[in-house]
Coordinates of all heavy atoms in Angstrom, one line a residue:
M842 N -10.6 -8.3 -6.4 CA -10.1 -7.9 -7.8 C -10.4 -8.9 -8.8 O -10.2 -10.1 -8.7 CB -8.6 -7.7 -7.5 CG -7.8 -7.3 -8.8 SD -6.0 -7.2 -8.5 CE -5.9 -5.9 -7.3
S843 N -10.8 -8.5 -10.0 CA -11.1 -9.4 -11.1 C -9.9 -10.0 -11.8 O -8.7 -9.4 -11.5 CB -11.9 -8.6 -12.2 OG -11.1 -7.8 -12.9
L844 N -10.1 -11.1 -12.5 CA -8.9 -11.7 -13.1 C -8.3 -10.8 -14.1 O -7.0 -10.7 -14.2 CB -9.4 -12.9 -13.9 CG -8.5 -14.1 -14.1 CD1 -8.0 -14.6 -12.8 CD2 -9.2 -15.1 -14.9
R845 N -9.1 -10.0 -14.8 CA -8.6 -9.1 -15.8 C -7.7 -7.9 -15.2 O -6.6 -7.6 -15.6 CB -9.8 -8.4 -16.5 CG -9.4 -7.4 -17.6 CD -10.4 -6.6 -18.2 NE -10.2 -6.5 -19.6 CZ -11.1 -6.9 -20.5 NH1 -12.2 -7.3 -20.2 NH2 -10.9 -6.7 -21.8
Q846 N -8.2 -7.3 -14.0 CA -7.4 -6.3 -13.2 C -6.1 -6.9 -12.8 O -5.1 -6.3 -12.9 CB -8.1 -5.8 -12.1 CG -9.2 -4.7 -12.5 CD -10.1 -4.4 -11.2 OE1 -10.4 -5.3 -10.5 NE2 -10.3 -3.2 -11.1
N847 N -6.2 -8.1 -12.3 CA -5.0 -8.8 -11.8 C -4.0 -9.0 -12.9 O -2.9 -8.8 -12.7 CB -5.6 -10.2 -11.3 CG -4.4 -10.8 -10.3 OD1 -3.6 -10.1 -9.8 ND2 -4.5 -12.0 -10.0
L848 N -4.4 -9.4 -14.0 CA -3.6 -9.6 -15.2 C -2.9 -8.3 -15.6 O -1.7 -8.2 -15.7 CB -4.3 -10.3 -16.4 CG -3.5 -10.7 -17.5 CD1 -2.5 -11.8 -17.1 CD2 -4.4 -11.2 -18.7
G849 N -3.8 -7.3 -15.6 CA -3.3 -6.0 -16.0 C -2.1 -5.6 -15.1 O -1.1 -5.0 -15.4
R850 N -2.4 -5.8 -13.8 CA -1.3 -5.3 -12.9 C -0.1 -6.0 -13.0 O 1.0 -5.6 -12.9 CB -2.0 -5.7 -11.4 CG -1.0 -5.2 -10.3 CD -1.5 -5.8 -8.9 NE -2.5 -5.0 -8.4 CZ -2.4 -4.1 -7.4 NH1 -1.3 -4.1 -6.8 NH2 -3.5 -3.3 -7.0
R851 N -0.1 -7.5 -13.4 CA 1.0 -8.2 -13.5 C 1.7 -7.7 -14.8 O 3.0 -7.7 -14.7 CB 0.6 -9.7 -13.6 CG 0.4 -10.3 -12.3 CD -0.1 -11.7 -12.4 NE 0.8 -12.6 -13.1 CZ 0.5 -13.8 -13.3 NH1 -0.6 -14.3 -13.2 NH2 1.5 -14.5 -13.9
I852 N 1.1 -7.5 -15.9 CA 1.7 -7.1 -17.2 C 2.4 -5.8 -16.8 O 3.6 -5.5 -17.2 CB 0.7 -6.8 -18.1 CG1 0.1 -8.3 -18.6 CG2 1.4 -6.2 -19.2 CD1 -0.9 -8.2 -19.6
R853 N 1.8 -4.9 -16.2 CA 2.3 -3.5 -15.8 C 3.6 -3.7 -15.0 O 4.6 -3.0 -15.1 CB 1.3 -2.6 -15.1 CG 1.9 -1.2 -15.1 CD 0.7 -0.2 -14.7 NE 0.1 -0.6 -13.6 CZ -1.3 -0.5 -13.4 NH1 -2.0 -0.2 -14.3 NH2 -1.8 -1.0 -12.2
G854 N 3.5 -4.6 -14.0 CA 4.8 -4.9 -13.2 C 5.8 -5.3 -13.9 O 6.9 -4.9 -13.7
V855 N 5.7 -6.2 -14.9 CA 6.7 -6.6 -15.8 C 7.3 -5.5 -16.6 O 8.6 -5.3 -16.7 CB 6.2 -7.8 -16.6 CG1 7.3 -8.2 -17.6 CG2 5.9 -9.1 -15.8
M856 N 6.3 -4.8 -17.2 CA 6.8 -3.7 -18.0 C 7.7 -2.7 -17.2 O 8.7 -2.3 -17.7 CB 5.5 -2.9 -18.5 CG 4.9 -3.5 -19.8 SD 3.3 -2.8 -20.1 CE 3.8 -1.1 -20.3
M857 N 7.1 -2.4 -16.1 CA 7.9 -1.3 -15.2 C 9.2 -1.9 -14.8 O 10.2 -1.0 -14.7 CB 7.1 -0.9 -14.1 CG 5.9 0.0 -14.4 SD 5.0 0.7 -13.1 CE 4.1 1.8 -13.9
S858 N 9.3 -3.1 -14.5 CA 10.5 -3.7 -14.1 C 11.7 -3.7 -15.2 O 12.8 -3.7 -15.0 CB 10.3 -5.2 -13.6 OG 10.1 -6.0 -14.7
R859 N 11.3 -3.4 -16.5 CA 12.1 -3.5 -17.6 C 12.4 -1.9 -18.0 O 13.3 -1.8 -18.8 CB 11.5 -4.2 -18.7 CG 11.5 -5.7 -18.3 CD 11.1 -6.6 -19.4 NE 11.0 -8.0 -18.9 CZ 10.7 -9.0 -19.6 NH1 10.4 -9.0 -20.8 NH2 10.5 -10.3 -19.0
L860 N 11.6 -1.2 -17.6 CA 11.8 0.3 -18.1 C 12.9 0.8 -17.0 O 12.7 0.7 -16.0 CB 10.6 1.1 -18.0 CG 9.5 0.8 -19.1 CD1 8.3 1.6 -18.7 CD2 10.0 1.4 -20.4
P861 N 14.0 1.5 -17.6 CA 14.9 2.2 -16.9 C 14.3 3.2 -16.0 O 13.5 4.0 -16.4 CB 16.0 2.7 -17.7 CG 15.3 2.7 -19.1 CD 14.2 1.8 -19.0
G862 N 14.7 3.3 -14.8 CA 14.1 4.4 -13.8 C 12.8 4.2 -13.4 O 12.2 5.0 -12.8
M863 N 12.2 2.9 -13.7 CA 10.9 2.6 -13.0 C 11.0 1.6 -12.0 O 12.0 0.7 -11.9 CB 10.1 2.2 -14.3 CG 9.5 3.2 -15.1 SD 8.4 4.3 -14.4 CE 7.5 5.0 -15.7
I864 N 10.0 1.7 -11.1 CA 10.0 0.6 -10.2 C 8.6 0.0 -10.2 O 7.7 0.6 -10.7 CB 10.3 1.2 -8.7 CG1 9.3 2.4 -8.3 CG2 11.7 1.6 -8.5 CD1 9.5 2.9 -6.9
T865 N 8.5 -1.1 -9.5 CA 7.2 -2.0 -9.6 C 6.3 -1.7 -8.5 O 6.7 -1.0 -7.5 CB 7.5 -3.4 -9.7 OG1 8.2 -3.8 -8.4 CG2 8.5 -3.8 -10.8
C866 N 5.1 -2.1 -8.6 CA 4.1 -1.9 -7.6 C 4.7 -2.6 -6.4 O 4.4 -2.3 -5.2 CB 2.7 -2.5 -8.0 SG 2.0 -1.5 -9.3
R867 N 5.3 -3.7 -6.6 CA 5.9 -4.6 -5.5 C 6.9 -3.7 -4.7 O 7.0 -3.7 -3.4 CB 6.5 -5.8 -6.1 CG 7.4 -6.7 -5.1 CD 6.7 -8.0 -5.0 NE 7.1 -8.6 -3.8 CZ 6.5 -8.5 -2.6 NH1 5.4 -7.7 -2.5 NH2 7.1 -8.9 -1.5
A868 N 7.8 -2.9 -5.4 CA 8.7 -2.0 -4.7 C 8.1 -0.9 -3.8 O 8.5 -0.6 -2.8 CB 9.7 -1.4 -5.9
I869 N 6.9 -0.5 -4.5 CA 6.1 0.5 -3.6 C 5.8 0.0 -2.2 O 5.9 0.6 -1.2 CB 4.8 0.8 -4.5 CG1 5.0 1.6 -5.6 CG2 3.9 1.7 -3.6 CD1 5.8 2.9 -5.5
D870 N 5.5 -1.2 -2.2 CA 5.2 -1.9 -0.9 C 6.3 -1.8 0.1 O 6.2 -1.6 1.2 CB 4.9 -3.4 -1.2 CG 3.5 -3.8 -0.7 OD1 2.8 -3.0 0.0 OD2 3.2 -5.0 -0.8
D871 N 7.6 -2.1 -0.6 CA 8.8 -2.0 0.3 C 9.2 -0.5 0.8 O 9.8 -0.4 1.8 CB 9.9 -2.6 -0.6 CG 9.8 -4.0 -0.8 OD1 8.9 -4.7 -0.1 OD2 10.4 -4.6 -1.8
F872 N 8.8 0.5 -0.1 CA 9.2 1.7 0.2 C 8.3 2.6 1.0 O 8.6 3.6 1.5 CB 9.4 2.4 -1.2 CG 10.7 2.1 -2.0 CD1 10.8 2.6 -3.3 CD2 11.6 1.3 -1.4 CE1 11.9 2.3 -4.0 CE2 12.7 0.9 -2.1 CZ 13.0 1.4 -3.5
I873 N 7.0 2.1 1.0 CA 5.9 3.0 1.5 C 6.2 3.5 2.9 O 5.9 4.7 3.3 CB 4.5 2.4 1.3 CG1 3.5 3.4 1.4 CG2 4.3 1.2 2.3 CD1 2.1 2.9 0.9
V874 N 6.6 2.6 3.9 CA 6.8 3.0 5.2 C 7.9 4.0 5.3 O 7.7 5.0 6.0 CB 7.1 1.7 6.1 CG1 7.5 2.3 7.5 CG2 6.0 0.7 6.1
D875 N 9.0 3.7 4.6 CA 10.1 4.7 4.7 C 9.7 6.1 4.1 O 10.0 7.1 4.5 CB 11.3 4.3 3.9 CG 12.1 3.2 4.6 OD1 11.8 3.1 5.9 OD2 12.9 2.5 4.0
Y876 N 8.8 5.9 3.0 CA 8.3 7.2 2.4 C 7.5 8.1 3.3 O 7.8 9.2 3.4 CB 7.6 7.0 1.2 CG 6.9 8.0 0.4 CD1 7.7 8.9 -0.3 CD2 5.6 8.3 0.6 CE1 7.3 9.9 -1.0 CE2 5.1 9.5 0.0 CZ 5.9 10.2 -0.9 OH 5.3 11.4 -1.4
L877 N 6.6 7.4 4.0 CA 5.7 8.1 5.0 C 6.4 8.6 6.1 O 6.0 9.6 6.8 CB 4.6 7.1 5.3 CG 3.5 6.9 4.2 CD1 2.5 5.9 4.7 CD2 2.9 8.3 3.7
E878 N 7.5 7.9 6.6 CA 8.4 8.4 7.5 C 9.4 9.4 7.1 O 10.3 9.9 7.9 CB 9.0 7.3 8.3 CG 8.1 6.4 9.0 CD 8.8 5.1 9.7 OE1 10.0 4.9 9.4 OE2 8.2 4.5 10.6
E879 N 9.4 9.8 5.8 CA 10.3 10.7 5.3 C 11.8 10.3 5.5 O 12.7 11.0 5.7 CB 10.1 12.1 5.7 CG 8.6 12.4 5.3 CD 8.5 13.9 5.7 OE1 9.2 14.6 6.2 OE2 7.3 14.4 5.2
S880 N 12.1 8.9 5.5 CA 13.3 8.4 5.6 C 13.9 7.8 4.4 O 14.9 7.1 4.4 CB 13.5 7.5 6.8 OG 12.6 6.4 6.7
L881 N 13.2 7.9 3.3 CA 13.5 7.3 2.0 C 14.6 8.2 1.3 O 14.4 9.3 1.3 CB 12.2 7.2 1.1 CG 12.2 6.2 -0.1 CD1 12.4 4.9 0.5 CD2 11.0 6.4 -0.8
P882 N 15.6 7.6 0.9 CA 16.7 8.3 0.2 C 16.1 9.1 -0.9 O 15.3 8.7 -1.7 CB 17.7 7.3 -0.2 CG 17.4 6.1 0.7 CD 16.0 6.1 1.0
A883 N 16.8 10.3 -1.2 CA 16.3 11.1 -2.3 C 16.0 10.4 -3.7 O 14.9 10.5 -4.3 CB 17.2 12.3 -2.5
K884 N 17.0 9.5 -4.1 CA 16.8 8.8 -5.3 C 15.6 7.9 -5.3 O 14.9 7.9 -6.4 CB 18.1 8.1 -5.6 CG 18.3 7.6 -7.0 CD 19.6 6.9 -7.1 CE 19.7 6.1 -8.3 NZ 20.5 4.9 -8.3
E885 N 15.4 7.1 -4.2 CA 14.3 6.2 -4.1 C 13.0 7.0 -4.1 O 12.0 6.6 -4.7 CB 14.3 5.3 -3.0 CG 15.3 4.1 -3.3 CD 16.6 4.4 -3.1 OE1 17.1 5.4 -2.7 OE2 17.4 3.6 -3.6
R886 N 13.1 8.3 -3.4 CA 11.8 9.0 -3.3 C 11.3 9.5 -4.6 O 10.1 9.5 -4.9 CB 12.3 10.2 -2.3 CG 11.0 10.9 -1.9 CD 11.5 12.2 -1.1 NE 10.4 13.0 -0.7 CZ 9.6 12.8 0.4 NH1 10.0 11.8 1.2 NH2 8.5 13.5 0.6
V887 N 12.3 9.9 -5.4 CA 12.0 10.4 -6.8 C 11.2 9.2 -7.6 O 10.3 9.4 -8.2 CB 13.2 10.8 -7.7 CG1 12.9 11.0 -9.2 CG2 13.7 12.1 -7.0
L888 N 11.9 8.0 -7.5 CA 11.2 6.8 -8.3 C 9.8 6.5 -7.6 O 8.9 6.3 -8.4 CB 12.2 5.6 -8.0 CG 13.5 5.7 -8.7 CD1 14.4 4.5 -8.4 CD2 13.4 5.8 -10.2
F889 N 9.7 6.6 -6.3 CA 8.5 6.3 -5.7 C 7.5 7.2 -6.2 O 6.4 6.9 -6.6 CB 8.7 6.4 -4.2 CG 7.5 6.1 -3.3 CD1 7.3 4.8 -2.8 CD2 6.5 7.0 -3.1 CE1 6.3 4.5 -2.1 CE2 5.4 6.7 -2.4 CZ 5.2 5.5 -1.8
E890 N 7.7 8.6 -6.2 CA 6.7 9.5 -6.5 C 6.4 9.5 -8.0 O 5.3 9.6 -8.4 CB 7.3 11.0 -6.1 CG 7.1 11.1 -4.7 CD 7.7 12.5 -4.2 OE1 8.6 13.1 -5.0 OE2 7.5 12.8 -3.1
R891 N 7.4 9.1 -8.8 CA 7.2 8.9 -10.2 C 6.1 7.8 -10.5 O 5.2 7.8 -11.3 CB 8.5 8.6 -11.0 CG 8.2 8.7 -12.5 CD 9.6 8.3 -13.2 NE 10.6 9.3 -12.9 CZ 11.9 9.2 -13.2 NH1 12.3 8.0 -13.7 NH2 12.8 10.1 -13.0
H892 N 6.3 6.7 -9.7 CA 5.5 5.5 -9.9 C 4.1 5.9 -9.4 O 3.2 5.6 -10.1 CB 6.1 4.4 -9.0 CG 5.1 3.2 -9.3 ND1 5.5 2.1 -10.1 CD2 4.0 2.8 -8.5 CE1 4.4 1.2 -9.9 NE2 3.6 1.6 -9.0
I893 N 4.0 6.6 -8.2 CA 2.7 7.0 -7.6 C 1.8 7.7 -8.6 O 0.7 7.7 -8.9 CB 2.9 7.7 -6.4 CG1 3.5 6.8 -5.3 CG2 1.5 8.3 -6.0 CD1 2.5 5.7 -4.8
R894 N 2.7 8.7 -9.3 CA 1.9 9.6 -10.3 C 1.4 8.8 -11.6 O 0.4 9.1 -12.1 CB 2.9 10.6 -10.8 CG 2.9 11.9 -10.0 CD 3.3 13.0 -10.7 NE 4.7 12.9 -11.2 CZ 5.8 13.1 -10.5 NH1 5.7 13.6 -9.3 NH2 7.0 12.9 -10.9
S895 N 2.1 7.7 -12.0 CA 1.7 7.0 -13.1 C 0.8 5.7 -12.8 O 0.4 5.1 -13.7 CB 2.9 6.5 -13.9 OG 3.7 5.7 -13.2
C896 N 0.6 5.4 -11.5 CA -0.1 4.1 -11.2 C -1.2 4.4 -10.2 O -1.0 4.7 -9.1 CB 0.9 3.3 -10.5 SG 0.1 1.7 -10.0
P897 N -2.5 4.5 -10.7 CA -3.7 4.8 -9.9 C -3.8 3.8 -8.8 O -4.2 4.2 -7.7 CB -4.9 4.5 -10.9 CG -4.2 4.6 -12.3 CD -2.9 4.2 -12.2
D898 N -3.4 2.5 -9.1 CA -3.6 1.5 -8.0 C -2.7 1.8 -6.7 O -3.3 1.9 -5.6 CB -3.1 0.1 -8.4 CG -4.1 -0.6 -9.3 OD1 -5.3 0.0 -9.3 OD2 -3.8 -1.6 -10.0
C899 N -1.5 2.2 -7.0 CA -0.6 2.7 -6.0 C -1.0 4.0 -5.3 O -0.8 4.1 -4.0 CB 0.8 2.7 -6.5 SG 1.4 1.1 -6.6
R900 N -1.5 4.8 -6.1 CA -1.9 6.1 -5.6 C -3.1 5.9 -4.5 O -3.1 6.5 -3.4 CB -2.5 7.0 -6.7 CG -1.9 8.5 -6.6 CD -2.1 9.3 -7.7 NE -3.2 9.1 -8.7 CZ -3.0 8.8 -9.9 NH1 -1.8 9.0 -10.4 NH2 -4.0 8.6 -10.7
R901 N -4.0 5.0 -4.9 CA -5.0 4.7 -3.9 C -4.5 3.9 -2.7 O -4.9 4.2 -1.6 CB -6.1 3.8 -4.6 CG -7.4 3.7 -3.8 CD -8.5 2.9 -4.6 NE -8.0 1.6 -5.0 CZ -8.1 1.0 -6.2 NH1 -8.7 1.7 -7.1 NH2 -7.6 -0.2 -6.4
Y902 N -3.5 3.0 -3.0 CA -2.9 2.3 -1.9 C -2.2 3.3 -0.9 O -2.4 3.0 0.3 CB -1.9 1.3 -2.5 CG -1.2 0.4 -1.5 CD1 -1.8 -0.3 -0.7 CD2 0.3 0.4 -1.5 CE1 -1.2 -1.1 0.4 CE2 1.0 -0.4 -0.6 CZ 0.2 -1.1 0.2 OH 0.9 -1.9 1.2
L903 N -1.6 4.1 -1.4 CA -0.8 5.1 -0.6 C -1.8 6.0 0.3 O -1.6 6.2 1.4 CB 0.1 6.1 -1.5 CG 0.7 7.2 -0.8 CD1 1.9 6.8 0.2 CD2 1.4 8.2 -1.7
A904 N -3.0 6.4 -0.4 CA -3.9 7.2 0.3 C -4.5 6.4 1.5 O -4.7 6.8 2.6 CB -5.0 7.6 -0.7
E905 N -4.8 5.2 1.1 CA -5.5 4.3 2.2 C -4.5 4.0 3.3 O -4.8 3.9 4.5 CB -5.9 3.0 1.5 CG -7.3 3.2 0.8 CD -7.6 1.8 0.0 OE1 -6.9 0.9 0.1 OE2 -8.6 1.9 -0.8
Y906 N -3.2 3.8 2.9 CA -2.2 3.6 3.9 C -2.0 4.7 4.9 O -2.0 4.5 6.1 CB -0.8 3.4 3.2 CG 0.1 2.4 3.9 CD1 0.4 1.1 3.6 CD2 0.9 2.9 5.1 CE1 1.1 0.3 4.3 CE2 1.7 2.3 5.8 CZ 2.0 0.9 5.4 OH 2.8 0.1 6.2
R907 N -2.1 5.9 4.4 CA -2.0 7.2 5.0 C -3.1 7.2 6.0 O -3.0 7.5 7.3 CB -2.1 8.5 4.2 CG -0.7 8.9 3.6 CD -0.8 10.3 3.4 NE 0.5 10.8 3.1 CZ 0.9 11.1 1.9 NH1 0.1 11.1 0.8 NH2 2.1 11.6 1.6
L908 N -4.4 6.9 5.5 CA -5.6 7.0 6.4 C -5.4 5.9 7.6 O -5.7 6.2 8.7 CB -6.8 6.6 5.5 CG -7.4 7.8 4.7 CD1 -8.5 7.3 4.0 CD2 -7.7 9.0 5.6
A909 N -5.0 4.8 7.1 CA -4.9 3.6 8.1 C -3.9 4.1 9.3 O -4.0 3.9 10.5 CB -4.4 2.4 7.6
L910 N -2.7 4.7 8.9 CA -1.7 5.1 9.8 C -2.4 6.1 10.8 O -2.1 6.1 12.0 CB -0.5 5.8 9.0 CG 0.6 4.8 8.6 CD1 1.7 5.6 8.1 CD2 0.9 3.9 9.7
A911 N -2.9 7.2 10.2 CA -3.6 8.3 10.9 C -4.6 7.7 11.9 O -4.6 8.1 13.1 CB -4.3 9.2 10.0
A912 N -5.4 6.7 11.6 CA -6.4 6.0 12.4 C -5.7 5.3 13.5 O -6.3 5.2 14.6 CB -7.3 5.3 11.6
G913 N -4.5 4.7 13.2 CA -4.0 3.9 14.1 C -2.9 4.6 15.1 O -2.5 4.1 15.9
E914 N -2.7 5.9 14.7 CA -1.7 6.7 15.6 C -1.9 6.5 17.0 O -0.9 6.5 17.8 CB -1.6 8.1 15.0 CG -0.3 8.5 14.8 CD -0.4 9.6 13.8 OE1 -1.1 10.7 14.1 OE2 0.3 9.6 12.8
H915 N -3.1 6.6 17.4 CA -3.4 6.7 18.9 C -3.3 5.4 19.6 O -3.2 5.3 20.7 CB -4.9 7.3 19.1 CG -5.1 8.6 18.5 ND1 -4.4 9.7 19.0 CD2 -5.9 9.1 17.4 CE1 -4.7 10.8 18.3 NE2 -5.5 10.5 17.4
S916 N -3.4 4.3 18.7 CA -3.3 3.1 19.4 C -2.0 2.3 19.1 O -2.0 1.1 19.3 CB -4.4 2.1 18.8 OG -4.4 2.1 17.5
L917 N -0.9 3.0 18.7 CA 0.4 2.5 18.4 C 0.9 1.8 19.6 O 1.6 0.8 19.5 CB 1.3 3.5 17.9 CG 1.3 3.7 16.4 CD1 2.3 4.8 16.0 CD2 1.5 2.5 15.5
D918 N 0.7 2.3 20.8 CA 1.3 1.7 21.9 C 0.6 0.4 22.2 O 1.2 -0.4 23.1 CB 1.1 2.6 23.2 CG 1.9 3.9 23.0 OD1 3.0 3.9 22.1 OD2 1.7 5.0 23.6
D919 N -0.5 0.2 21.8 CA -1.3 -1.1 22.1 C -1.2 -2.2 21.0 O -1.8 -3.2 21.1 CB -2.7 -0.7 22.3 CG -3.1 0.4 23.3 OD1 -2.2 0.4 24.2 OD2 -4.0 1.1 23.0
M920 N -0.1 -1.9 20.1 CA 0.0 -2.8 19.0 C 0.3 -4.3 19.6 O -0.3 -5.2 18.8 CB 1.2 -2.4 18.2 CG 0.8 -1.3 17.3 SD -0.2 -1.7 15.9 CE 1.1 -1.8 14.6
D921 N 0.9 -4.5 20.7 CA 1.2 -5.9 21.1 C -0.1 -6.5 21.8 O 0.1 -7.6 22.2 CB 2.4 -5.9 22.0 CG 3.6 -5.6 21.0 OD1 3.6 -5.9 19.9 OD2 4.7 -5.0 21.6
E922 N -0.9 -5.7 22.2 CA -2.1 -6.2 23.0 C -2.8 -7.1 22.1 O -3.1 -6.9 20.8 CB -3.1 -5.1 23.4 CG -2.4 -4.1 24.3 CD -2.2 -4.8 25.7 OE1 -3.2 -5.4 26.1 OE2 -1.2 -4.4 26.3
P923 N -3.4 -8.2 22.7 CA -4.3 -9.1 21.8 C -5.6 -8.5 21.4 O -6.0 -7.5 22.2 CB -4.6 -10.2 22.7 CG -4.2 -9.8 24.0 CD -3.2 -8.7 23.9
V924 N -6.0 -8.8 20.3 CA -7.4 -8.1 19.7 C -8.4 -8.7 20.6 O -8.5 -9.9 20.7 CB -7.5 -8.4 18.4 CG1 -8.9 -7.8 17.9 CG2 -6.4 -7.9 17.5
P925 N -9.3 -7.8 21.2 CA -10.4 -8.3 22.0 C -11.3 -9.3 21.2 O -11.6 -9.1 20.0 CB -11.2 -7.2 22.4 CG -10.2 -5.9 22.2 CD -9.4 -6.4 21.1
E926 N -11.7 -10.4 21.9 CA -12.6 -11.4 21.2 C -13.9 -10.8 20.7 O -14.3 -11.0 19.6 CB -13.1 -12.5 22.3 CG -12.0 -13.4 22.7 CD -11.7 -14.4 21.7 OE1 -12.6 -14.8 20.8 OE2 -10.5 -14.9 21.3
E927 N -14.5 -9.8 21.5 CA -15.7 -9.2 21.1 C -15.5 -8.5 19.8 O -16.4 -8.4 18.9 CB -16.3 -8.2 22.0 CG -16.2 -8.7 23.5 CD -15.0 -8.5 24.2 OE1 -14.8 -7.3 24.6 OE2 -14.1 -9.3 24.2
L928 N -14.4 -7.8 19.5 CA -14.0 -7.2 18.2 C -14.0 -8.1 17.1 O -14.5 -7.8 16.1 CB -12.7 -6.3 18.4 CG -12.5 -5.4 17.3 CD1 -13.5 -4.3 17.0 CD2 -11.0 -4.6 17.6
V929 N -13.3 -9.1 17.4 CA -13.2 -10.1 16.2 C -14.5 -10.7 15.9 O -14.9 -10.8 14.7 CB -12.3 -11.3 16.7 CG1 -12.3 -12.3 15.6 CG2 -10.9 -10.8 17.1
D930 N -15.4 -11.0 16.9 CA -16.7 -11.4 16.6 C -17.6 -10.5 15.9 O -18.4 -10.7 14.9 CB -17.5 -11.7 18.0 CG -16.9 -12.9 18.6 OD1 -16.2 -13.7 17.8 OD2 -17.2 -13.3 19.7
A931 N -17.4 -9.1 16.2 CA -18.2 -8.0 15.6 C -17.8 -7.9 14.1 O -18.5 -7.8 13.3 CB -18.0 -6.9 16.3
V932 N -16.4 -8.0 13.9 CA -15.9 -7.8 12.6 C -16.4 -9.0 11.7 O -16.8 -8.9 10.5 CB -14.4 -7.7 12.5 CG1 -13.9 -7.8 11.1 CG2 -14.0 -6.4 13.3
L933 N -16.2 -10.1 12.2 CA -16.7 -11.3 11.5 C -18.1 -11.3 11.1 O -18.5 -11.7 10.1 CB -16.3 -12.7 12.4 CG -15.0 -13.1 12.3 CD1 -14.7 -14.4 13.2 CD2 -14.6 -13.6 10.8
A934 N -18.9 -10.9 12.0 CA -20.3 -10.9 12.0 C -20.7 -9.9 10.8 O -21.5 -10.2 9.9 CB -21.1 -10.5 13.1
T935 N -20.0 -8.8 10.8 CA -20.3 -7.8 9.6 C -19.8 -8.4 8.3 O -20.5 -8.2 7.4 CB -19.4 -6.5 10.0 OG1 -19.7 -6.1 11.3 CG2 -19.7 -5.4 9.0
V936 N -18.6 -8.9 8.3 CA -18.1 -9.5 7.0 C -19.1 -10.6 6.5 O -19.5 -10.6 5.4 CB -16.7 -10.1 7.3 CG1 -16.2 -10.8 5.9 CG2 -15.8 -8.9 7.5
L937 N -19.5 -11.6 7.5 CA -20.3 -12.7 7.0 C -21.7 -12.2 6.7 O -22.4 -12.8 5.7 CB -20.3 -13.6 8.2 CG -19.1 -14.5 8.4 CD1 -19.3 -15.3 9.7 CD2 -18.7 -15.1 7.4
S938 N -22.2 -11.1 7.3 CA -23.6 -10.6 6.8 C -23.5 -9.9 5.4 O -24.6 -9.6 4.9 CB -24.1 -9.7 7.9 OG -23.4 -8.5 7.9
G939 N -22.3 -9.7 5.0 CA -22.1 -9.0 3.7 C -22.3 -7.4 3.7 O -22.4 -7.0 2.7
D940 N -22.3 -6.9 4.8 CA -22.5 -5.5 4.9 C -21.2 -4.8 4.6 O -21.0 -3.6 4.4 CB -23.0 -5.0 6.3 CG -24.4 -5.2 6.4 OD1 -25.1 -5.6 5.3 OD2 -24.9 -5.4 7.5
A941 N -20.0 -5.5 4.9 CA -18.6 -4.9 4.7 C -18.3 -4.5 3.3 O -18.7 -5.2 2.4 CB -17.6 -5.8 5.4
Ligands
ZN1887 ZN1 1.8 0.6 -8.8

């Protein structure tokens, strides 16, 4: 993320925290799990959806979160298993080679 985007995000966060009925990108982080599990109270859900509609960053974040959840659904039972060394090596090699 560029410095400029980062600054824009921070400014928007401050603005939203001062507008009544608005929540910040930070709050989205706290709400997202409950939202996807549909256990978010109606009031927070409205705020969450309002924010998602007005914030492209969080819209993308939500979409990516959904995809990650869908991809991880089959391996939820294995969450406590250590990550295989070979996988770590493979990911590192990809990242270091600049293909990621
Ligand atoms: Zn946001």
Side-chain angles (χ1 to χ4, degrees):
M842 182 183 294
S843 76
L844 207 61
R845 183 186 216 129
Q846 283 174 314
N847 198 16
L848 187 64
R850 182 190 280 253
R851 284 175 59 188
I852 289 172
R853 193 165 52 223
V855 171
M856 277 168 54
M857 283 187 173
S858 68
R859 292 183 185 180
L860 288 170
M863 281 293 198
I864 54 174
T865 63
C866 295
R867 175 113 199 91
I869 291 294
D870 236 358
D871 295 337
F872 286 170
I873 197 164
V874 175
D875 285 345
Y876 177 77
L877 290 174
E878 287 176 351
E879 299 188 353
S880 60
L881 200 62
K884 197 177 158 201
E885 275 80 13
R886 192 183 176 87
V887 168
L888 293 176
F889 183 95
E890 287 176 342
R891 186 183 296 169
H892 181 96
I893 291 292
R894 271 201 301 275
S895 65
C896 181
D898 282 349
C899 287
R900 228 168 18 236
R901 196 176 55 225
Y902 180 54
L903 178 63
E905 282 170 4
Y906 206 103
R907 270 204 174 111
L908 283 178
L910 274 188
E914 229 158 52
H915 302 293
S916 54
L917 274 183
D918 292 339
D919 303 328
M920 286 285 258
D921 292 332
E922 297 287 317
V924 179
E926 288 284 327
E927 311 90 80
L928 183 60
V929 176
D930 287 345
V932 170
L933 274 179
T935 308
V936 170
L937 291 176
S938 71
D940 288 341

